[in-house]
Amino acid sequence: MTGRELAASLKQNLRLPVMAGPMFIASTADLVIAQCRAGIIGSMPALNPRSTEALDDDVARIRECVGNAPYAINLVAHKSNSRLEADLDVVLRNKVPIVVLALAANPDLVRTLQANGSLVFQDVVKDRHARKCAEMGVDGIIAVGAGAGGHTGDTSPFALMQEIREWWDGLLLLAGAIANGRSVLAAEVLGADFAYIGSPFLASTEANTQVGFKRMIVEGMSKDIVVTNSFTGVNANFLRPSLLEHGLDPDNLAKRVGGGINIDGGGDNAKAWKEIWSAGQGIGAVKRAEPAGDYIDWLVADYTAARRAIGL
Ligand SMILES: Cc1cc2nc3c(=O)[nH]c(=O)nc-3n(C[C@H](O)[C@H](O)[C@H](O)COP(=O)(O)O)c2cc1C
């Protein structure tokens, strides 16, 4: 199947060319179900349910509720993830339609998943990473530009999309501060098949986020987002008010030199993600904490208006 055919087949029953980005701690099975029911591709990290057994239960419930709609599970393919083998077994047994790989994915893992019927997507922040993913044979590349929630890129989406689309005709998703209908349309104009959206869902009713976190998303704007590598060794965007609440000076965070990436915020970074909250620069578009389906309904209307505004 060509990239165009794959994009068309995935979009067939969706209301919008949008996939939800999986979010550590925040994404729940209820959120995935709400996202899929509202007409986008839902997703969550395998590590969010507290055990492999709980993941198995969640995936079974998602399957039951969403039928044939595509959804994704995010696997951290790194040796530090002690659950990888058991969680992978759950993903394979349930024939999860899309698997988003993070960190140190290898061609064998990609092949195993594909042979079992899953599509494999991988996120990248540079053209160079995208080329490596293409060599590994992934089905979809998620280009993470500047301003994204969680671990972010620092390249303008204009440059990133231009460079990757020059040689990649496969499925391409664009992430980073996309939160309204105009931005979804803009992602398509730049050459993306899908917009990949995370942070707005932090304010949704179904997200496992505290009331204060939801409030920061609703009240926050791009000026409230700070990029730092001080928690995980890799650049990530955090909410300025959340840093201040923990007595940290957002303008003087220690820059980490060397050291490995620590995706789950364990060890000396235990507070990152759990207590020091991450979000991307697009949150200005989020006006209320509400069910994910209501936000998606608004996004559909805003996208339709954006298309109309330019005569489409
Ligand atoms: C709080 C938070 C946690 C995240 N955790 C993960 C994760 O566990 N795995 C992953 O692949 N991406 C993770 N991401 C990144 C998202 O999947 C997505 O790429 C990003 O949110 C897109 O940018 P946006 O937030 O500006 O929409 C996280 C993002 C946020 C905001």
Side-chain angles (χ1 to χ4, degrees):
M1 206 188 284
T2 67
R4 301 312 84 232
E5 287 165 352
L6 177 56
S9 90
L10 276 174
K11 285 179 195 175
Q12 226 165 30
N13 295 314
L14 299 181
R15 285 165 75 209
L16 270 180
V18 169
M19 173 164 172
M23 295 186 288
F24 187 53
I25 303 173
S27 309
T28 60
D30 285 338
L31 180 59
V32 178
I33 292 165
Q35 290 165 334
C36 291
R37 281 186 171 156
I40 69 167
I41 301 177
S43 76
M44 74 170 190
L47 286 173
N48 281 9
R50 68 190 178 290
S51 64
T52 296
E53 292 69 38
L55 172 68
D56 208 3
D57 291 347
D58 276 0
V59 171
R61 193 155 62 85
I62 293 169
R63 279 179 59 180
E64 202 178 293
C65 293
V66 310
N68 289 328
Y71 67 91
I73 297 292
N74 172 219
L75 279 179
V76 177
H78 192 260
K79 55 184 184 315
S80 66
N81 175 11
S82 56
R83 275 175 51 180
L84 177 59
E85 211 175 304
D87 288 357
L88 175 62
D89 186 52
V90 170
V91 164
L92 292 173
R93 257 190 299 110
N94 286 282
K95 296 197 179 296
V96 168
I98 302 170
V99 177
V100 177
L101 292 178
L103 300 180
N106 62 65
D108 290 341
L109 179 58
V110 173
R111 270 194 296 273
T112 302
L113 286 162
Q114 288 173 333
N116 195 62
S118 296
L119 294 169
V120 179
F121 296 0
Q122 167 104 34
D123 53 13
V124 304
V125 295
K126 299 271 181 229
D127 178 68
R128 182 168 47 87
H129 299 154
R131 287 176 192 266
K132 274 194 187 160
C133 289
E135 267 169 37
M136 272 194 313
V138 300
D139 303 286
I141 292 177
I142 304 161
V144 182
H151 288 117
T152 183
D154 58 9
T155 304
S156 153
F158 288 98
L160 199 53
M161 293 300 289
Q162 179 266 315
E163 289 175 3
I164 298 174
R165 256 305 175 232
E166 209 165 279
W167 56 268
W168 172 252
D169 190 41
L171 196 76
L172 185 55
L173 303 91
L174 177 62
I178 298 174
N180 68 3
R182 274 181 195 267
S183 302
V184 172
L185 182 58
E188 289 185 288
V189 173
L190 289 180
D193 297 298
F194 283 87
Y196 192 74
I197 299 182
S199 296
F201 292 107
L202 294 166
S204 64
T205 318
E206 297 87 350
N208 179 29
T209 45
Q210 292 90 325
V211 174
F213 194 171
K214 294 188 206 290
R215 192 181 315 123
M216 277 185 207
I217 298 297
V218 171
E219 292 174 359
M221 312 238 317
S222 57
K223 68 173 173 50
D224 300 307
I225 305 300
V226 178
V227 68
T228 177
N229 80 350
S230 82
F231 299 111
T232 66
V234 173
N235 273 349
N237 276 313
F238 290 92
L239 284 152
R240 183 176 279 270
S242 174
L243 292 161
L244 289 169
E245 273 185 5
H246 284 82
L248 295 164
D249 177 356
D251 301 313
N252 284 298
L253 293 165
K255 198 169 159 61
R256 247 184 41 183
V257 186
I261 182 171
N262 188 350
I263 189 98
D264 64 1
D268 60 343
N269 303 309
K271 284 190 166 176
W273 313 122
K274 204 171 190 170
E275 293 179 31
I276 299 173
W277 298 323
S278 167
Q281 291 177 358
I283 55 173
V286 183
K287 306 298 182 199
R288 58 195 68 85
E290 61 187 350
D294 290 355
Y295 166 72
I296 295 167
D297 285 349
W298 170 78
L299 200 57
V300 171
D302 201 47
Y303 175 75
T304 307
R307 287 177 61 93
R308 207 170 295 131
I310 59 168
L312 288 175

